[in-house]
């Protein structure tokens, strides 16, 4: 510390002073004094507003506020108004001038004080003060004695408390600075938050540290265990299950018949270290060996495929402060949705999360607390990654990452950090890690161009063609031939793909097909796990809630809702994107062959056979169950396939459905469910499913012709009434309607509005005027067999348009008051159409604010042309309100894809809709215009009408907000198209 400037540590690039050597996170039976709880707190405006005698034990802090520790001080007061500053979100830009290592003098600083009692028997002479996480720089005093200072917000820092701790009353004072030199290394695409956000404790220290090495030989089945203990204390090792009792933990100890640890079988052996002083340290040992074999990522001799997610730590009320229950909820949700891997983006998580990964089985890329992305807009000028002044800080972060988490079997890869350019400091960090722990691989995506100091060829947001080329080892060569040969020998991984922002991502099944086609491709990690929405109230006296995003707190610079890009909504409700991903990556594939009357099961696990699953079948006729039972599938080995004939009871159920002659589609669904409880789900939990159409629907009968008759102001066609001038359907039977009319616009999705690599799709759409199309009726022509309405859809100022012909035919149904109506719509582009259409269909409305909706087709949730794998055909029921997907920023949502038929029961009557043969269906209590204008969910309110969209097709969702747009087959080109839909009513 500089005596002339007691706050010089704030801007000094060094990682801190007075800190103890980093060590593993572990528990022991030595006493610990937890310091979590209510602390006295004052928020100073900057270094000119600090409390001079903050550290004095007799300082009177009784008029200071009470603040929970751990917490992020900007989150205090939510969901009302924040009490201490406010959260701020940027993706790349620093929220202060880039002038490393300097930060603004106006630097909000939290001053914390806590009294605590130390029992007389507590071994104060060997005590440490432990901070699990403090953002961003802090200094510490105990009983007036300065212990040191530190940086590295999401890394553990320990100080030697022996010289300051005493029995009885103790006073701990901590000064936490919002900005520091460390902030330049922590630009990690998340809310900027500050404070003591993880736990604090005083712990007795006995055994200094240890490193568990537990390797597995897949050829012999032998495990080798060695525990390196640091420090002068003599320690013995026992592992009762393995018959190990040794005075020398280092061994090595070799044991035959080991069950190795993996994500599918997270076998942990319980052991214990016992010091000569009697300290007992429990161990959870997982044997596994990570290796690259012929360019393929293997664990325990078997190739693995990462079905992963990037996970930030987040809670909508507490920010990055998480409880154990919240962490467990994340792990269980991942396992239940077939996720098997986590990249801890972009910092080490709370160490308890890794304990859960060990226990339940998740591969982990454990990432360093490092990102300097904000230097990229300036051409990486002054980027710390290649500046010798920052070398110590880079090495410190790598050392603390590895030392804290080195004993977790779930951690198979060390990741240096994220989006920090390249440079000698990153290479030095990789070299240190490789020297310290050669049992794991090293990852850093930023080195993809050469891969000179990493063990994985890592990419983010590349397209399918580039991914397939990497799978074939045909990526473009590097500048250095030696680097090129090295890179082509490495496994390839997508550290980020499938950007889950808003409605999407689309195209996940396409990516999975490419991944599974090439052994070099080790899988990847969706960006990301959870939306970082912050729960807010709409106003001081308005307790309607919504989730805030960038800009909602008046930030000077921000990146809007780019922070809401997760597979979970902020309250941890799975989004449609997670349900899609779960289906796409399911580890067991079920194929149904109706022609051969067979069921095929492909096991995509790498070590687990399928015997832990029960297979069940259900037959549905028009969506109504007509039979169910079980299928005896033999235990299928990893990578193997089993084919079984249909059981007799299944055949009988299908025969009965065929004889019924209902004319409906008959579907066979086979599910794979847990046969017994697992640690992460109960028996009966569904792991995978497959569907097959056994009996197609009967052809519908043609409409008998009915004449359309012109009246004063309207045209009658059967029980339907049309406006003479607009050609709009205004009544069908007793039901009031408005429409339908050609519609090509949708409330833009985040993937429509944003693009990381090209002009956003919305630009071309708005240039073409697709958001302001005018519907001009050209002719309303009744005749003896129906009604023809011709019109043109075009934007002001544009010579291009869409010519549309509506052909209506009708007949009265057999029941009194029933009306049947068929609409055939033909759309022909007129003029140049270089842009795709957002949607192509017809829109209409009827009175009401909510309604019961029943449909037969894929469901139960929303689906789109490039995000429909998770939708299975059945009969579903919902309300209009429940069919809306509450994306943090409102946008196009709620589409039900390829619906055969639907029944909408509103206060004014019931409308039946039948696709001819299928139609996409969306029902909303608000208009597209209102949906597009809303910034948050609470901005939406029913307008008294139910808005129906009956679409022939949608433009794909893609992942363009940070990745590729829709693939070619999912682009909705403006070409001639025809589609039909039928309407009817019942009293």
């Amino acid at each position: 510390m500089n005596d002339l400037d007691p706050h010089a540590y704030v801007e000094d690039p060094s990682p801190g002073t007075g800190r103890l050597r980093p060590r593993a996170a572990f528990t022991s039976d030595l006493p610990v004094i937890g310091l979590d709880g209510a602390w006295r707190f004052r928020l100073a405006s900057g270094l000119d507003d600090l409390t001079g005698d903050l550290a004095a034990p007799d300082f009177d802090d009784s008029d200071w506020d009470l603040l929970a520790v751990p917490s992020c001080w900007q989150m205090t007061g939510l969901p009302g108004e924040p009490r201490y500053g406010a959260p701020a979100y940027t993706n790349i830009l620093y929220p202060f001038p880039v002038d490393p290592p300097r930060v603004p003098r106006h630097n909000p600083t939290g001053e914390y004080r806590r009294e605590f009692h130390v029992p007389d028997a507590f071994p104060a002479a060997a005590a440490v003060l432990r901070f699990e996480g403090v953002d961003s720089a802090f200094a510490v005093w105990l009983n007036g004695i300065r212990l040191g200072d530190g940086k590295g917000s999401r890394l553990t820092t320990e100080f030697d408390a022996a010289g300051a701790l005493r029995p009885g009353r103790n006073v701990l004072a901590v000064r936490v600075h919002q900005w520091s030199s460390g902030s330049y290394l922590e630009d990690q695409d998340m809310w900027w938050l500050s404070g003591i956000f993880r736990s604090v404790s005083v712990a007795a220290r006995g055994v200094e540290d240890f490193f568990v090495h537990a390797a597995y030989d897949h050829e012999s089945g032998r495990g080798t265990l060695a525990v390196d203990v640091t420090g002068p204390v003599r320690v013995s090792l026992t592992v009762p299950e393995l018959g190990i009792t040794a005075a020398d933990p280092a061994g090595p100890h070799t044991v035959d018949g080991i069950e190795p640890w993996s994500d599918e079988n997270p076998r942990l052996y319980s052991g214990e270290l016992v010091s000569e002083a009697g300290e007992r340290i429990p161990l959870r040992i997982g044997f596994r060996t990570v290796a690259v074999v012929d360019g393929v990522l293997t664990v325990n001799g078997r190739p693995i495929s990462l079905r992963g997610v990037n996970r930030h730590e987040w809670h909508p009320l507490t920010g990055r402060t998480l409880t154990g229950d919240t962490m467990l909820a994340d792990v269980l949700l991942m396992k239940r949705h077939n996720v098997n891997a986590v990249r801890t983006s972009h910092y080490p998580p709370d160490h308890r999360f890794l304990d859960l990964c060990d226990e339940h089985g998740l591969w982990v890329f454990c990432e360093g607390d490092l990102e300097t992305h904000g230097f990229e807009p300036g051409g990486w000028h002054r980027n710390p990654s290649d500046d010798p002044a920052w070398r110590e800080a880079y090495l410190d972060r790598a050392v603390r990452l590895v030392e804290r988490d080195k004993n977790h079997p779930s951690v198979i890869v060390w990741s240096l950090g994220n989006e920090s350019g390249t440079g000698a400091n990153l290479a030095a960090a990789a070299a240190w890690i490789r020297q310290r722990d050669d049992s794991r691989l090293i990852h850093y995506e930023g080195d993809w161009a050469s891969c000179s100091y990493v063990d994985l060829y890592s990419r983010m947001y590349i397209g399918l063609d580039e991914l397939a080329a990497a799978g074939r080892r045909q990526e473009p060569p590097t500048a250095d031939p030696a680097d090129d040969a090295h890179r082509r020998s490495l496994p390839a991984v997508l550290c980020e793909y499938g950007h889950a922002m808003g409605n999407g991502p689309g195209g996940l099944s396409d990516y999975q097909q490419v991944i599974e086609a090439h052994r070099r491709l080790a899988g990847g990690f969706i960006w990301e796990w959870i939306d970082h929405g912050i729960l807010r109230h709409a106003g001081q006296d308005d307790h309607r809630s919504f989730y805030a995003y960038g800009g909602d707190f008046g930030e000077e610079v921000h990146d809007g809702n780019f922070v809401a890009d997760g597979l979970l909504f902020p309250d941890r409700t799975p989004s449609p994107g997670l349900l899609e991903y779960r289906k796409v990556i399911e580890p067991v594939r079920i194929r149904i062959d109706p022609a051969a009357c067979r069921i095929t099961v492909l096991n995509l696990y790498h070590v687990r056979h399928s015997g832990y699953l029960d297979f069940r079948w259900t037959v549905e006729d028009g969506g109504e169950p007509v039979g169910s039972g079980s299928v005896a599938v033999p235990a299928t080995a990893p990578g193997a396939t089993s084919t079984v004939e249909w059981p007799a009871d299944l055949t009988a159920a299908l025969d009965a459905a065929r004889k019924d002659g209902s004319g409906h589609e008959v579907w066979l669904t086979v599910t794979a469910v847990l046969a017994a409880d697992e640690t992460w789900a109960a028996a009966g939990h569904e792991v995978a499913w497959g569907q097959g159409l056994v009996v197609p629907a009967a052809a519908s009968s043609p409409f008998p012709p009915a004449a359309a008759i012109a009246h004063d102001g309207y045209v009658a066609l059967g029980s339907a009434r049309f406006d003479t001038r607009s050609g709009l359907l205004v009544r069908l039977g007793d039901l009031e309607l408005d429409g339908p009319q050609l519609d090509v616009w949708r409330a833009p999705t985040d993937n429509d509005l944003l693009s990381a690599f090209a002009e956003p799709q919305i630009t071309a759409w708005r240039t073409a005027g697709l958001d302001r199309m005018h519907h001009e009726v050209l002719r309303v022509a009744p005749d003896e067999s129906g009604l023809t309405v011709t019109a043109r859809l075009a934007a002001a100022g544009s010579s291009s348009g869409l010519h549309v012909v509506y052909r209506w035919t009708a007949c009265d149904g057999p029941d009194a008051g029933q009306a049947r109506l068929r609409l055939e719509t033909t759309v022909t582009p007129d003029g140049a159409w270089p842009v795709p259409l957002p949607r192509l269909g017809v829109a209409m409305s009827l009175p009401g604010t909510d309604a019961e909706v029943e449909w037969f087709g894929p469901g139960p949730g929303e689906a789109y042309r490039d995000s429909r794998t998770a939708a299975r055909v059945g009969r579903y029921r919902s309300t209009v309100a429940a069919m809306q997907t509450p994306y943090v920023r409102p946008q196009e949502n709620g589409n039900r894809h390829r619906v055969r038929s639907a029944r909408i029961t509103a206060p004014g009557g019931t409308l039946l809709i039948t696709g001819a043969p299928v139609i996409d269906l969306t029902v909303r209590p608000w208009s597209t215009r209102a949906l597009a204008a809303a910034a948050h969910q609470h901005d939406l309110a029913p307008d008294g009408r139910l808005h129906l969209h009956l679409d022939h097709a949608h433009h794909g969702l893609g992942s363009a907000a940070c990745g590729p747009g829709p693939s070619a087959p999912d682009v909705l080109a403006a070409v001639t198209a025809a589609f039909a839909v039928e309407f009817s009513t019942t009293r």
Side-chain angles (χ1 to χ4, degrees):
M1 185 180 69
N2 186 339
D3 292 335
L4 298 179
D5 182 1
H7 311 303
Y9 65 92
V10 175
E11 293 184 340
D12 191 322
S14 70
T17 60
R19 304 166 308 145
L20 292 171
R21 174 191 175 277
R23 60 173 179 156
F26 62 90
T27 62
S28 86
D29 63 352
L30 293 182
V32 176
I33 301 173
L35 298 181
D36 293 355
W39 289 43
R40 289 293 178 180
F41 178 78
R42 172 183 178 267
L43 183 61
S45 61
L47 299 183
D48 299 327
D49 182 34
L50 301 180
T51 302
D53 48 358
L54 168 71
D58 58 353
F59 174 74
D60 183 5
D61 57 19
S62 60
D63 61 343
W64 285 17
D65 295 340
L66 290 173
L67 180 71
V69 170
S71 71
C72 305
W73 73 57
Q74 291 92 342
M75 301 295 287
T76 306
L78 296 169
E81 290 302 309
R83 293 181 58 189
Y84 307 112
Y89 168 62
T90 62
N91 170 29
I92 297 174
L93 298 178
Y94 292 104
F96 47 77
V98 180
D99 185 23
R102 286 182 283 273
V103 292
R105 188 74 180 174
H106 177 70
N107 187 355
T109 298
E111 296 185 322
Y112 295 78
R113 285 173 56 89
R114 166 69 191 260
E115 288 190 17
F116 62 97
H117 181 82
V118 174
D120 290 342
F122 189 87
V128 299
L129 176 61
R130 178 183 302 141
F131 293 85
E132 305 282 1
V134 183
D135 193 324
S136 71
F138 67 111
V140 180
W141 294 262
L142 180 58
N143 295 323
I145 299 173
R146 194 179 194 277
L147 300 186
D149 55 79
K151 304 183 190 76
S153 298
R154 284 148 285 277
L155 295 157
T156 300
T157 304
E158 289 186 332
F159 299 97
D160 185 354
L165 193 70
R166 59 195 180 205
R169 177 180 180 267
N170 288 258
V171 177
L172 178 61
V174 183
R175 183 170 281 145
V176 180
H177 306 277
Q178 180 165 344
W179 310 121
S180 70
S181 62
S183 301
Y184 286 104
L185 307 184
E186 296 174 1
D187 185 25
Q188 290 132 322
D189 184 13
M190 59 187 180
W191 293 98
W192 294 92
L193 298 172
S194 316
I196 305 173
F197 70 95
R198 290 183 186 159
S199 289
V200 184
S201 60
V202 172
R205 187 170 188 173
V207 172
E208 182 179 338
D209 195 13
F210 60 91
F211 193 167
V212 176
H213 305 271
Y216 177 73
D217 184 339
H218 66 278
E219 293 183 345
S220 66
R222 184 175 299 123
T224 302
L225 176 63
V227 182
D228 295 335
V229 179
T230 302
V233 179
R234 292 175 58 87
V235 175
S236 63
L237 168 69
T238 61
V239 188
E241 285 183 271
L242 302 179
I244 295 176
T245 300
D248 179 11
H253 310 281
T254 302
V255 183
D256 292 328
I258 286 292
E259 293 181 63
W261 189 97
S262 73
D263 67 310
E264 297 166 13
N265 181 31
R267 180 67 162 94
L268 295 171
Y269 291 88
S270 296
E272 190 175 56
L273 292 175
V274 182
S275 74
E276 59 185 354
E279 179 185 5
R280 310 183 82 87
I281 300 171
L283 303 179
R284 298 199 307 173
I285 303 164
F287 291 86
R288 53 109 188 93
T289 296
V290 184
V292 173
V293 179
D294 297 329
V296 176
L297 175 60
T298 69
V299 180
N300 302 328
R302 305 249 184 139
I304 66 169
S305 184
L306 304 166
R307 306 186 298 272
V309 294
N310 284 274
R311 175 186 177 268
H312 268 291
E313 295 182 310
W314 187 252
H315 188 281
L317 279 174
T318 60
R320 283 191 288 281
T321 298
L322 302 185
T323 66
D325 286 345
T326 300
M327 289 180 251
L328 177 60
D330 279 348
V331 169
L332 297 183
L333 279 167
M334 290 175 189
K335 294 290 290 187
R336 291 167 185 169
H337 288 84
N338 295 327
V339 170
N340 74 348
V342 180
R343 178 180 176 224
T344 67
S345 52
H346 296 294
Y347 43 81
D350 188 304
H351 67 87
R352 295 173 294 170
F353 178 77
L354 298 179
D355 292 336
L356 294 167
C357 293
D358 293 342
E359 179 181 350
H360 298 285
L362 288 167
W363 304 120
V364 175
F365 279 38
C366 200
E367 193 144 272
D369 192 8
L370 176 66
E371 181 167 337
T372 67
H373 204 173
F375 288 91
E376 184 183 37
W380 296 106
H381 175 61
R382 300 177 72 186
N383 181 24
S385 293
D386 203 34
D387 185 343
W390 295 84
R391 179 185 175 93
E392 182 186 2
Y394 274 64
L395 286 172
D396 176 78
R397 288 171 186 250
V399 170
R400 290 159 72 191
L401 163 73
V402 172
E403 297 296 359
R404 194 199 72 166
D405 297 333
K406 59 183 177 280
N407 293 326
H408 289 282
S410 58
V411 176
I412 59 171
V413 171
W414 298 119
S415 182
L416 301 181
N418 186 65
E419 293 176 323
S420 297
T422 58
N425 294 336
L426 288 160
W432 184 90
I433 293 174
R434 189 166 279 112
Q435 174 272 327
R436 175 60 170 152
D437 178 21
D438 62 0
S439 70
R440 296 175 172 98
L441 306 182
I442 296 176
H443 167 270
Y444 177 64
E445 182 271 341
D447 188 35
W448 67 268
S450 67
C451 291
S452 59
Y453 48 82
V454 295
D455 302 314
L456 294 164
Y457 174 42
S458 179
R459 299 302 306 276
M460 56 171 67
Y461 306 116
I462 60 175
L464 293 169
D465 290 343
E466 192 172 357
L467 179 63
R472 298 189 299 267
R473 305 184 193 281
Q474 294 176 352
E475 68 269 19
T478 68
D480 186 319
D483 285 344
D484 189 67
H486 170 66
R487 190 179 72 181
R488 292 181 200 279
S489 71
L490 302 179
V493 64
L494 288 168
C495 68
E496 296 179 22
Y497 81 111
H499 191 255
M501 184 177 182
N503 192 343
L508 291 180
S509 59
D510 296 333
Y511 276 89
Q512 193 64 23
Q513 289 174 18
V514 175
I515 289 169
E516 293 178 9
H518 301 280
R519 284 173 55 85
R520 185 195 190 192
L521 301 181
F525 301 86
I526 297 294
W527 185 267
E528 64 170 303
W529 178 236
I530 188 168
D531 288 341
H532 302 205
I534 294 178
L535 188 64
R536 294 297 310 275
H537 286 156
Q540 185 173 356
D541 299 317
D542 184 352
H543 286 182
R544 289 179 302 154
S545 62
F546 69 97
Y547 290 109
Y549 47 76
D552 286 335
F553 296 94
E555 301 99 309
E556 181 180 358
V557 293
H558 66 85
D559 286 290
N561 67 310
F562 206 73
V563 77
D565 49 10
L567 294 169
L568 294 180
F569 294 126
D571 64 355
R572 284 180 162 72
T573 299
S575 74
L578 180 56
L579 301 181
E580 177 76 0
Y581 191 45
R582 171 189 177 183
K583 175 60 178 172
V584 165
I585 61 173
E586 59 188 8
V588 174
R589 298 278 165 74
I590 302 170
R591 300 286 184 260
I592 296 171
D593 184 348
C597 299
R598 290 175 180 167
I599 300 165
T600 300
V601 174
L602 169 61
N603 183 0
L604 295 176
Y605 284 117
H606 65 100
V607 297
R608 195 170 196 184
H609 66 66
S610 66
Y612 80 104
L613 298 171
D614 283 340
F615 292 84
R616 302 171 181 174
W617 63 265
T618 302
V619 172
E620 293 174 304
D621 184 353
E624 298 297 336
V626 295
S628 61
S630 61
V631 182
V633 177
T636 307
T641 300
S642 294
T643 300
V644 296
E645 305 292 332
W646 288 357
D649 54 349
L650 168 56
T651 300
L654 289 171
D655 288 344
R658 291 187 182 100
K659 293 176 182 177
D660 177 63
S662 66
H664 299 146
E665 295 178 13
V666 177
W667 284 83
L668 169 62
T669 305
V670 177
T671 61
V673 302
L674 294 180
D677 292 348
E678 300 275 332
T679 64
W680 45 272
H685 168 78
E686 184 178 282
V687 173
W689 60 272
Q691 258 194 334
L693 176 62
V694 180
V695 180
S700 58
S701 58
F703 272 33
I709 303 172
H711 296 273
D712 185 15
Y714 72 93
V715 174
L717 178 58
S719 299
R721 298 290 182 269
F722 296 83
D723 181 83
T724 300
R725 297 183 63 181
S726 68
L728 293 178
L729 175 65
V730 296
R731 184 170 294 277
L732 181 60
D734 295 329
L735 186 60
E736 175 197 337
L737 299 170
D738 183 12
Q741 200 172 71
L742 186 67
D743 185 25
V744 297
W745 184 243
R746 70 185 185 194
T749 68
D750 290 323
N751 289 315
D752 297 335
L753 289 170
L754 302 172
S755 178
F757 308 114
E759 192 74 24
Q761 183 63 65
I762 192 67
T763 303
W765 283 351
R766 286 180 171 153
T767 299
L770 294 178
D771 59 335
R772 49 184 178 84
M773 301 287 273
H774 295 272
H775 187 270
E776 189 72 23
V777 174
L778 305 178
R779 185 167 180 256
V780 178
D783 59 39
E784 292 183 353
S785 60
L787 173 67
T788 302
V789 178
T790 57
R792 189 172 187 271
L793 200 67
S798 174
S799 61
S800 299
L802 297 170
H803 185 73
V804 57
V805 176
Y806 306 98
R807 178 60 183 172
W808 294 94
T809 54
C811 71
D812 287 333
D815 300 327
Q818 186 183 56
R820 292 181 62 206
L821 194 64
R822 178 182 176 91
L823 169 62
E824 296 177 355
T825 304
T826 303
V827 182
T828 306
D830 177 20
W833 277 98
V835 300
L837 300 177
R839 74 183 334 141
L840 181 63
V842 293
M844 58 192 297
S845 68
L846 65 156
T849 58
D850 202 356
E852 297 291 330
V853 183
E854 177 184 319
W855 74 98
F856 174 56
E862 71 180 27
Y864 291 81
R865 66 191 297 169
D866 60 348
S867 181
R868 61 184 182 182
T869 311
R872 68 180 88 179
V873 176
R875 185 166 296 278
Y876 300 99
R877 295 169 181 83
S878 182
T879 62
V880 172
M883 293 174 75
Q884 313 310 303
T885 304
Y887 293 110
V888 170
R889 187 195 69 79
Q891 56 198 272
E892 164 62 39
N893 73 91
N895 184 65
R896 268 55 182 181
H897 186 60
R898 297 182 63 81
V899 169
R900 280 69 160 165
S901 61
R903 176 189 297 264
I904 301 171
T905 305
T910 297
L911 178 65
L912 288 81
I913 300 170
T914 303
V918 295
I919 204 81
D920 277 20
L921 170 69
T922 309
V923 192
R924 296 197 182 102
W926 38 71
S927 67
T928 296
R929 182 182 298 275
L931 183 62
H936 300 93
Q937 285 295 324
H938 73 288
D939 296 328
L940 292 167
D943 61 11
R945 297 196 68 82
L946 298 174
H947 300 265
L948 278 64
H949 297 269
L950 306 172
D951 292 313
H952 171 62
H954 264 267
H955 186 65
L957 301 175
S959 188
C962 194
S967 58
D970 299 317
V971 172
L972 181 55
V975 297
T976 298
F979 54 97
V981 61
E982 297 177 4
F983 304 93
S984 60
T985 62
T986 60
R987 286 190 184 276

